Amino acid sequence: MAATEILNRADIVKAPQVRLAPQPEKPSLIGLLRDDIAKLLAEKGVPERQVKMRVSQLWHWLYVRGVSDFDEMSNVSKDMREMLKEHFTIARPEIVEEQVSGDGTRKWLLRFPPRGAGRPVEIETVYIPEEGRGTLCISSQVGCTLTCSFCHTGTQKLVRNLTAEEILSQLLLARDRLGDFPERDTPQGAIVPAEGRKITNIVMMGMGEPLYNFENVKTALLIASDGDGLSLSKRRITLSTSGIVPEIYRTGEEIGVMLAISLHAVRDDLRDMLVPINKKYPLKQLMEACRAYPGLSNARRITFEYVMLKDVNDSLEDAKELVKLLKGIPAKINLIPFNPWPGTNYQCSDWEQIEKFADFINQAGYASPIRTPRGRDILAACGQLKSESERMRKVDRLAFEAMMIANHGED
């Protein structure tokens, strides 16, 4: 299909050029834990006896109602709102571009301030609607330090970590754009239905390695799963890692969300090449960390991502070794047909071979769904959008991203 035909099928929205006034002196209240907000309010003169109540009000407006303007906080006094506007911000990131696929997939290119990077930075957030659920893919870094040989994002050098505010803002903005917050005039304390939400699951599978930005990711996910705010179940939050073993233990102990492992190979020599972090944390250590992950059961499994590369990792011998490697770990294996990108030396496995691979794993007792492409028509993919010509060549890469995102966490 010609690129022009593909573009005609997509709804690509250039965001209005309303830029946020730079206010580096104003810290954001988004992404702060309650104790941190309380400390800031006390420093600005809020009486000690009021601090807890004010924190509760702010938390409600930020994470239940989803407001991004202090003036919308109707049960906060005018003087208090003026103080908040003077000293803090709760503004959303700038939307550079919004793209909507014919199948409902949405992609936002967001811009954040430099914060030490020397220039404003841009990241991507992707929403995948599925039957009975909607999954949001969130980025944790600008670029990536890992150099996985099959991954295009890995060719982009790390610019900086995202803050907890910037990680959480991706969820808040997506809910804004999808109309996924309740009516803002609903009184505080009213029961807000949990059903019918467009974003039911989130996955830390966007740009970057989440466990190399552990503290900011931890804070953002603890706020996202807080029962008095955004209230996402930890079983509906999946963190994907290439295998940073020490932080896998910390993730289980300190965050407690679902885990996904970018595996892609069953032998150290091959994984050293495909996922170079394996040289530091080889398969034996990685599998030990997975087996020790808290709360594993048939209902709470680790997802192992496995990209199918022709004549590289797709033989039946690889399938046998995969079953042996995962023995004793409640697991689901996502088989991902590889989508080539400019400059790659890899090819996708033949479909017949993928099916044979999947059949063998299924017969061994593991679920092994084969991901199907989504959102091809919006020319989107992991990593920053670059020139128009490169974007035209990226058309097949959203398939890889969407297949990675889909069907993670509890239904």
Side-chain angles (χ1 to χ4, degrees):
M1 183 180 294
T4 52
E5 293 175 32
I6 294 169
L7 280 170
N8 288 337
R9 290 169 50 202
D11 178 10
I12 300 178
V13 181
K14 288 285 187 181
Q17 294 302 303
V18 179
R19 294 179 181 271
L20 304 176
Q23 297 177 319
E25 74 282 358
K26 290 187 181 182
S28 177
L29 296 182
I30 295 168
L32 297 180
L33 298 172
R34 286 182 178 84
D35 288 348
D36 297 319
I37 297 175
K39 183 178 178 181
L40 288 175
L41 294 183
E43 289 173 353
K44 299 305 178 188
V46 175
E48 184 179 350
R49 66 183 182 277
Q50 291 185 21
V51 166
K52 185 175 180 180
M53 180 266 290
R54 295 301 187 189
V55 171
S56 178
Q57 285 181 320
L58 288 169
W59 200 268
H60 172 84
W61 285 111
L62 292 176
Y63 300 126
V64 177
R65 299 291 163 230
V67 304
S68 55
D69 184 336
F70 289 116
D71 284 332
E72 294 186 54
M73 298 181 175
S74 56
N75 64 344
V76 177
S77 69
K78 183 177 180 181
D79 288 347
M80 179 73 176
R81 293 199 306 268
E82 290 301 317
M83 183 277 289
L84 291 170
K85 284 192 288 186
E86 181 182 354
H87 295 291
F88 307 108
T89 180
I90 53 174
R92 298 289 192 258
E94 176 189 353
I95 302 176
V96 178
E97 187 172 75
E98 179 177 44
Q99 298 176 270
V100 185
S101 165
D103 65 15
T105 299
R106 290 175 180 253
K107 180 174 177 25
W108 296 277
L109 178 65
L110 306 179
R111 182 174 291 149
F112 294 110
R115 291 178 179 160
R119 55 182 172 77
V121 296
E122 296 176 351
I123 59 95
E124 297 169 341
T125 304
V126 177
Y127 172 69
I128 304 286
E130 306 170 68
E131 186 175 350
R133 68 160 82 192
T135 302
L136 186 72
C137 179
I138 294 176
S139 295
S140 58
Q141 295 179 310
V142 184
C144 188
T145 57
L146 303 176
T147 54
C148 301
S149 60
F150 59 87
C151 178
H152 192 271
T153 302
T155 66
Q156 301 170 30
K157 293 180 179 179
L158 179 69
V159 178
R160 68 171 175 84
N161 285 333
L162 295 179
T163 65
E165 172 209 348
E166 291 165 338
I167 294 167
L168 202 59
S169 288
Q170 296 172 64
L171 173 57
L172 299 179
L173 183 141
R175 279 197 163 172
D176 282 346
R177 300 297 296 172
L178 295 168
D180 207 23
F181 279 112
E183 294 296 325
R184 290 176 182 173
D185 58 358
T186 305
Q188 185 168 354
I191 296 174
V192 177
E195 299 300 317
R197 285 285 173 92
K198 292 183 175 68
I199 299 173
T200 62
N201 296 59
I202 61 176
V203 292
M204 297 300 305
M205 300 182 78
M207 295 173 65
E209 165 54 64
L211 296 189
Y212 275 152
N213 188 15
F214 184 87
E215 292 299 335
N216 288 321
V217 168
K218 171 185 172 181
T219 298
L221 294 185
L222 290 179
I223 293 173
S225 59
D226 186 283
D228 292 326
L230 292 162
S231 199
L232 279 163
S233 165
K234 290 184 179 182
R235 294 182 67 168
R236 292 179 176 267
I237 301 173
T238 300
L239 185 150
S240 176
T241 176
S242 294
I244 317 302
V245 167
E247 273 64 42
I248 290 175
Y249 288 103
R250 290 189 66 196
T251 299
E253 293 165 2
E254 300 178 31
I255 310 178
V257 295
M258 304 293 278
L259 186 66
I261 303 291
S262 293
L263 186 63
H264 312 306
V266 295
R267 306 186 315 275
D268 280 321
D269 59 340
L270 178 57
R271 196 165 190 267
D272 286 350
M273 181 176 66
L274 296 178
V275 188
I277 194 65
N278 193 73
K279 297 173 185 175
K280 188 172 184 179
Y281 304 113
L283 285 168
K284 185 175 186 295
Q285 292 183 30
L286 178 57
M287 291 303 110
E288 287 172 356
C290 289
R291 287 188 173 88
Y293 200 75
L296 291 183
S297 66
N298 286 334
R300 186 178 167 84
R301 298 172 290 178
I302 293 176
T303 300
F304 290 89
E305 310 287 357
Y306 199 93
V307 175
M308 300 298 293
L309 303 170
K310 186 174 183 178
D311 299 328
V312 175
N313 65 352
D314 63 350
S315 70
L316 284 183
E317 189 60 34
D318 287 307
K320 292 175 185 176
E321 288 299 317
L322 180 57
V323 169
K324 188 184 300 184
L325 185 70
L326 301 185
K327 186 176 181 181
I329 303 175
K332 178 173 69 175
I333 302 153
N334 279 354
L335 299 181
I336 304 165
F338 176 68
N339 279 269
W341 42 270
T344 183
N345 294 318
Y346 296 110
Q347 293 180 298
C348 182
S349 304
D350 295 333
W351 193 257
E352 182 181 0
Q353 186 64 21
I354 296 175
E355 290 183 328
K356 287 180 180 177
F357 197 100
D359 287 344
F360 183 90
I361 295 170
N362 277 316
Q363 289 169 12
Y366 291 97
S368 57
I370 303 170
R371 293 291 168 234
T372 53
R374 296 285 304 278
R376 288 176 179 268
D377 54 332
I378 65 173
L379 308 180
C382 294
Q384 290 174 276
L385 294 175
K386 295 184 181 177
S387 70
E388 188 70 20
S389 61
E390 181 170 343
R391 287 177 58 208
M392 296 301 288
R393 293 195 299 268
K394 286 183 180 178
V395 61
D396 287 327
R397 287 177 42 220
L398 183 71
F400 175 78
E401 180 180 61
M403 289 184 288
M404 292 283 283
I405 296 169
N407 202 30
H408 283 82
E410 188 180 62
D411 289 331

